[in-house]
Amino acid sequence: MAPATEIATIPLAAGANIEDPSSQAGKVWKSVTDTIAAQDGYQRLRYGRERENQSLLQLLVDWDSIDAHKAFMASPAYGPFAKHLMTIVDSDSKITVYHAHLTPHPPTAATTANPPIITEMIECYLKTEDEAHPPKVQHLMDLIEKTSPGYKARATGWVMEEVEHEKFEGKKGRLFLGCLGWENVEAHFTYKETETFKNSIGMLREIPVAVEVHHTPFTEK
C-alpha cells in the first residue's frame, strides 16, 4: 500500500507544557512520541501547537501505509499508550485522527525546514470527492509559488476517511488537505494583501462547502 500521513489534532489540558522536557507533560509527550517511533512501519513525525489556538497540538506521523498505523492501534501496546496520552489531554474535548495520501510524500519540505518555517494547513470540506477541486488548489499554489518570495513548499491530498463538519448537516463528507510552507506567518499575511491573491483566492472556495485555515510551526522528532 501507499505511504500515508496520520494527522491528529490533540486538545491539550490546561497547563500541559509539553515543550518543557522536565515537566510531567513533557515527560509524557516524550514517552508518547518514543512509543510511536518504535512501531513497525513508522517513518517520521513532527508536531506543533496551532498558532491560532495554542491549546491544540497538531501531530503528523508518516507511516509506510495506513495498515502500519492500524496494526499499532490493534496491538497490546496501544491501550497503555492511549491511556498515558490522555493524561495530558483536555477531558472535555476529543482527539481527531485521520489519514491522507499527500503528494509529495513525505511532506517534509512543507512542514519542517532549517531555518524553521510555518505551515499553513488548508482544510477544504466537500460533500463528495469532486476531482475538479484539486486542480484549482494546485493552480492557486502554482501562482503563489511564482509570485510570493515567502513561499517554501507544498503537499496536498485527499483524506482517506469520511469526515464530519457542521456544513454537512449531520452527514459525512470528504476533506482535501493542503500543507503550504511559508518563511513565516507574516509572509503569508503580506501576500494575502496583494491583488494577485485577492483576484485568485476565489477558486479555492468554488466547490467546497467550507474552507478552514490555521498555521502550525512544526518540530520534527
Side-chain angles (χ1 to χ4, degrees):
M1 293 185 68
T5 299
E6 170 195 355
I7 300 105
T9 301
I10 303 169
L12 293 173
N17 185 6
I18 66 163
E19 293 82 7
D20 179 0
S22 67
S23 70
Q24 180 59 29
K27 293 174 181 176
V28 169
W29 185 243
K30 183 180 186 304
S31 174
V32 164
T33 55
D34 285 349
T35 299
I36 294 171
Q39 303 309 307
D40 290 341
Y42 164 86
Q43 295 182 350
R44 68 192 60 77
L45 69 79
R46 76 282 289 165
Y47 60 90
R49 293 178 187 257
E50 292 186 12
R51 180 182 181 275
E52 291 81 1
N53 185 345
Q54 291 285 298
S55 68
L56 293 180
L57 181 70
Q58 190 140 56
L59 171 67
L60 306 184
V61 185
D62 295 329
W63 297 93
D64 287 347
S65 68
I66 188 174
D67 284 347
H69 185 210
K70 288 181 176 179
F72 171 43
M73 291 190 290
S75 72
Y78 193 78
F81 160 85
K83 185 176 181 179
H84 198 41
L85 172 61
M86 291 306 295
T87 63
I88 61 172
V89 173
D90 179 5
S91 60
D92 293 328
S93 303
K94 69 176 184 176
I95 298 172
T96 61
V97 179
Y98 50 80
H99 304 82
H101 291 310
L102 296 176
T103 302
H105 182 94
T108 304
T111 55
T112 48
N114 187 18
I117 61 173
I118 195 162
T119 304
E120 177 189 2
M121 302 292 288
I122 308 167
E123 299 174 345
C124 302
Y125 293 88
L126 300 89
K127 290 186 175 180
T128 61
E129 187 171 321
D130 192 330
E131 289 299 340
H133 180 65
K136 295 179 183 294
V137 177
Q138 298 299 344
H139 181 72
L140 176 61
M141 291 188 175
D142 286 344
L143 187 64
I144 293 172
E145 182 176 5
K146 293 175 183 176
T147 58
S148 174
Y151 165 91
K152 292 300 180 182
R154 76 182 89 165
T156 61
W158 288 104
V159 165
M160 299 165 68
E161 299 90 349
E162 289 188 319
V163 300
E164 298 177 347
H165 194 278
E166 60 183 11
K167 292 290 187 178
F168 294 150
E169 300 176 339
K171 299 179 182 179
K172 290 188 175 182
R174 300 308 307 272
L175 173 58
F176 189 81
L177 182 66
C179 307
L180 193 57
W182 293 91
E183 183 177 281
N184 50 51
V185 73
E186 289 76 19
H188 179 208
F189 290 161
T190 297
Y191 187 72
K192 287 175 66 175
E193 297 304 315
T194 66
E195 290 303 313
T196 301
F197 177 85
K198 292 176 180 179
N199 292 335
S200 57
I201 187 58
M203 70 179 74
L204 184 70
R205 304 180 182 276
E206 287 177 5
I207 300 176
V209 296
V211 176
E212 298 182 0
V213 174
H214 65 266
H215 301 82
T216 301
F218 286 104
T219 297
E220 186 161 356
K221 178 177 173 64

